[in-house]
Amino acid sequence: MSGDLETSAGAVLAAGTYSGYSLHTRPEQGINLILSQPGISCSRVTRLSPTVVWALPEPGAELPPRERTLQLLLDDNGRTIGPLRGEILWSDPRRYDAPIGIQLVDVTVEQGRQILSTLDAAVRQGRAMPAVSPQPIEEALVEPERIRSILKSVCVMKHQGVLRQLGRTLRVSLEYFDVVTSQLHWRLEEPGTEWGAAPYDIEVVGHNSAYRLRVSALETRGGRMVTPIPRRMWKVRHRWHRRVPAPAGLRARFHHPLWGELGTLEREAVDVSFNGLCLRSPAEDLIFPGLLLQPLEVRGEGEEPILLRGEVRFVGDKDGQRVFGLQVTPCTPLDESRWVQLVSQALSPATRGGEQWLEPLWELLVDSGYFNLSGKRTEHFEELRASFFETSQRAAHLPRLFCQTVWPSERGVEATLSSVRPYRHSWLVHQLAKRPGRPGGDVPPGQILRDIHVRTLEHAQSDPDFRWLVAYVESTVPLIERVHMAYARAQADGGEALVMPVRIMDVHCDERSGLPSDGFEIGPARSEEKTRLAEEITRTRPACYVEALDLSRERMDLRDTAATWHAAGLERERQVLVARRGGVAVAAILLELGQPGTNLFRLLDAARLFPLTPEGPDAYVALLDEARAWYARRGRSSFVFLREDEDDSYAAAARLHDEPGAKPCLWLLSTRMLPEFLEYVSEATVGRLTPANHRTA
């Protein structure tokens, strides 16, 4: 019996919780479980794989003892598989209609082949579906401008589509969007085919969603068709992460966890995403949903192997060949770094990680005018140059903390955008810069900005703990207003986004106010004072602000995030100082410290002030002077004060500096909105559509 238990445990380790296929059909058309010993004689199977069978027993059936090894058969309309052996892993004797689960043991290769062949037939007949297949997210779109924006993006980006009609599937493309007549010009991509009679269902692909529309033809002529803009579209998204074709030569090696006699299996990769991999695989590989493949060795031509843990989520056909899709996670931090680099490059092939382009990147920041933001000059940033280079080199190996994206060309670096995870569940998007003019070659308008946004934001999306995007944006920049601000405002009422004005003011550590402390005692906040501060922040700030910036009482010390940074050899710290009068805390200043060179405007060396009583603002100058000393002790020459109120009364006395014409905002966006925001970025950065003089077939 002990050997059986060991085999059973091995089967459990070989398959996930939702192993195999769910069966949904009438009892007379289903697969039945038959036991060859006293107990349940026959029951309808509801889920099946080579590792487990779930079944609904007949009313009044007697359950066999759990400790007994069972002999069983599977019957599919007269076709019998077995005898098989198994052990009951779950049952509820209190309910007559409760299913039972039986863990199969010692299943042979031939028996596994029979089970999977039966299930393949059931899938083709519509009697079964993978137990782990995610359901698509579908949404109806009726707003005219949104529909026009999507179709404009599809047209400019030359995304492919399919036309479905009476069992036919034809490849089509949206060749032209006539903005004057509001008509769509479609083209057949398959020579020798005809459109057939309208109406048609057409599916077109966006950034990471598919859009389905029903159209009536106005005119068909050869390979062209003209249709009106639809009044309604349906958006369908199947995955959280976008998938793209795998790099040429990428292959995966693994051993079957149930049947080692199949030997080492090596299969070609079809597509990849941050958490997914699709492989070509013949039926002889005996792959089924829920199967756990670990380790899975993925290797490109001439590349070091990447070790992944994989769970099969899908088995089916693609382009006439059998494939299976896996949900994957890297085995080690080094594997994670290599996997993120490989997938990032596949998702955005025109971009690169910044660590190999640091000198050209610095030149871009100079040439683009990035260093002149907020009235500063290039010389102001020279002291951070060395630390910027050092941090960028280290960041390339820390994909769970950093992403630095560049778009290179023969001119050097055309554009850059970076992100960093300064809080437990939030990524800060920062340091956006673009070189003036256009590079050589055929680069569509908007392509560069779109590419760097997609790579940087999809990198954050790959973090399983990701909940919020954070940015400090300059609202006077047209691109920021059109892409970031407009989208966030539209989502703000639902609590999924925030646009909040904030003054970003420089504070020099050697430039104290020179004023007396006015009787305030300043020191580190006590536990009860931190609780009071958290309550004040919760009362006066939106919930998304509190969540994204780790300002709840439980996370105010930034302990978990700081530990992650320290483990990587990087600085990250938060301190709360309070000003007391008569032993009562009247105001608090929250101080944060980050690795030098992470953000060139020192946004990780930032302070915020909060009043705790009506007289709190009287202590602000003294608190800022104490903050100067705190940052100076940590080797900083200056820091940033993020002023979130309209009170200018203490700015001169505290010797605060900012650019009068700047209008920065704190920008927050929920991770739940990121797939839609990426679609919006794709739409908002495409070039303009212009009327055509004449279109012919």
Side-chain angles (χ1 to χ4, degrees), residues 258-315:
L258 290 177
W259 301 295
E261 58 264 40
L262 294 177
T264 300
L265 303 176
E266 181 171 322
R267 299 294 176 248
E268 177 190 4
V270 178
D271 58 45
V272 295
S273 73
F274 279 116
N275 72 339
L277 176 66
C278 182
L279 303 174
R280 300 194 196 281
S281 174
E284 291 74 20
D285 286 353
L286 303 184
I287 301 298
F288 57 90
L291 189 67
L292 303 179
L293 302 181
Q294 48 186 356
L296 185 72
E297 183 182 289
V298 177
R299 186 195 300 262
E301 294 179 355
E303 301 292 336
E304 292 293 321
I306 302 171
L307 298 183
L308 306 173
R309 301 181 186 91
E311 179 181 355
V312 178
R313 309 285 288 184
F314 165 80
V315 178

Side-chain angles (χ1 to χ4, degrees), residues 19-81:
S19 173
Y21 294 82
S22 296
L23 299 160
H24 46 90
T25 185
R26 294 192 299 272
E28 63 271 16
Q29 296 179 332
I31 299 174
N32 291 315
L33 166 68
I34 302 172
L35 298 186
S36 58
Q37 61 267 16
I40 302 173
S41 59
C42 183
S43 53
R44 181 165 59 90
V45 174
T46 59
R47 196 168 86 229
L48 178 63
S49 82
T51 63
V52 68
V53 54
W54 286 82
L56 288 174
E58 295 175 338
E62 177 187 351
L63 291 178
R66 277 178 175 259
E67 62 273 8
R68 179 183 299 174
T69 300
L70 307 177
Q71 302 292 325
L72 56 100
L73 299 171
L74 296 172
D75 178 76
D76 182 20
N77 295 309
R79 182 190 178 196
T80 302
I81 302 174

Side-chain angles (χ1 to χ4, degrees), residues 343-649:
V343 176
S344 294
Q345 202 57 53
L347 290 169
S348 302
T351 64
R352 297 291 185 272
E355 69 277 4
Q356 301 298 323
W357 299 82
L358 293 179
E359 288 290 350
L361 175 54
W362 192 266
E363 293 174 6
L364 165 69
L365 297 175
V366 174
D367 296 343
S368 67
Y370 177 80
F371 287 147
N372 302 123
L373 295 174
S374 301
K376 293 181 172 57
R377 299 173 60 85
T378 300
E379 294 76 16
H380 176 85
F381 298 92
E382 281 301 323
E383 65 174 292
L384 291 174
R385 181 182 177 122
S387 59
F388 173 74
F389 281 21
E390 179 187 357
T391 300
S392 297
Q393 291 284 3
R394 298 171 69 179
H397 306 289
L398 298 169
R400 281 292 167 258
L401 289 178
F402 296 94
C403 174
Q404 188 179 65
T405 300
V406 300
W407 207 102
S409 77
E410 72 282 355
R411 299 198 300 176
V413 171
E414 293 293 331
T416 184
L417 182 64
S418 296
S419 64
V420 58
R421 199 187 81 183
Y423 305 108
R424 185 172 180 179
H425 298 298
S426 302
W427 282 77
L428 172 71
V429 184
H430 64 131
Q431 291 178 174
L432 169 64
K434 183 181 182 301
R435 186 180 299 278
R438 294 181 60 184
D442 184 18
V443 180
Q447 183 71 47
I448 296 174
L449 287 170
R450 181 163 54 254
D451 285 350
I452 63 172
H453 274 83
V454 167
R455 177 162 181 159
T456 306
L457 300 186
E458 286 188 330
H459 182 102
Q461 191 183 28
S462 73
D463 177 5
D465 292 327
F466 168 52
R467 294 182 189 171
W468 292 97
L469 276 180
V470 181
Y472 293 92
V473 297
E474 177 51 58
S475 61
T476 60
V477 177
L479 172 71
I480 298 297
E481 172 60 35
R482 185 174 76 251
V483 176
H484 300 80
M485 304 282 284
Y487 186 84
R489 289 194 193 101
Q491 310 302 326
D493 289 345
E496 302 283 2
L498 175 69
V499 175
M500 187 176 82
V502 59
R503 300 298 293 181
I504 301 178
M505 313 184 82
D506 289 323
V507 187
H508 303 297
C509 293
D510 61 356
E511 197 177 24
R512 297 176 67 90
S513 70
L515 299 176
S517 62
D518 201 19
F520 290 109
E521 173 201 350
I522 297 177
R526 305 183 184 107
S527 178
E528 64 274 13
E529 292 167 335
K530 291 179 183 179
T531 299
R532 185 177 169 193
L533 172 60
E535 292 171 349
E536 178 65 15
I537 294 173
T538 300
R539 186 183 69 83
T540 60
R541 301 294 192 275
C544 59
Y545 173 101
V546 177
E547 168 73 14
L549 302 181
D550 283 349
L551 291 174
S552 65
R553 180 63 187 93
E554 297 77 14
R555 299 212 298 267
M556 183 166 288
D557 290 333
L558 219 61
R559 186 177 298 108
D560 292 343
T561 298
T564 301
W565 283 60
H566 295 164
L570 303 172
E571 293 183 64
R572 188 74 178 123
E573 185 179 354
R574 179 182 274 174
Q575 175 86 52
V576 179
L577 303 178
V578 297
R580 306 181 187 92
R581 176 171 279 168
V584 176
V586 301
I589 188 166
L590 189 140
L591 309 173
E592 291 185 16
L593 190 80
Q595 180 70 15
T598 302
N599 177 272
L600 293 169
F601 281 85
R602 306 179 190 267
L603 287 175
L604 267 62
D605 294 343
R608 287 180 168 86
L609 283 166
F610 300 94
L612 300 177
T613 69
E615 64 175 317
D618 296 341
Y620 283 0
V621 173
L623 282 168
L624 285 165
D625 277 342
E626 189 62 31
R628 286 180 168 95
W630 188 87
Y631 281 106
R633 289 194 296 270
R634 287 155 178 79
R636 304 299 192 266
S637 60
S638 66
F639 63 95
V640 166
F641 169 50
L642 300 173
R643 202 195 78 192
E644 298 173 350
D645 58 31
E646 298 297 325
D647 185 4
D648 270 328
S649 62

Side-chain angles (χ1 to χ4, degrees), residues 142-212:
V142 296
E143 207 278 318
E145 285 306 312
R146 178 79 171 108
I147 292 174
R148 291 175 66 91
S149 176
I150 291 168
L151 293 172
K152 171 187 171 185
S153 176
V154 168
C155 182
V156 174
M157 297 297 293
K158 297 180 173 60
H159 292 308
Q160 294 297 304
V162 295
L163 178 146
R164 304 186 190 280
Q165 177 201 47
L166 300 176
R168 296 196 311 158
T169 300
L170 303 176
R171 292 185 299 113
V172 298
S173 62
L174 180 53
E175 183 180 42
Y176 178 61
F177 185 144
D178 192 325
V179 295
V180 175
T181 63
S182 293
Q183 293 177 342
L184 309 174
H185 294 239
W186 302 89
R187 182 181 67 196
L188 279 172
E189 297 293 341
E190 300 179 26
T193 57
E194 297 293 335
W195 287 101
Y200 311 93
D201 283 325
I202 296 179
E203 292 181 5
V204 291
V205 178
H207 173 72
N208 63 352
S209 298
Y211 297 95
R212 188 174 70 250

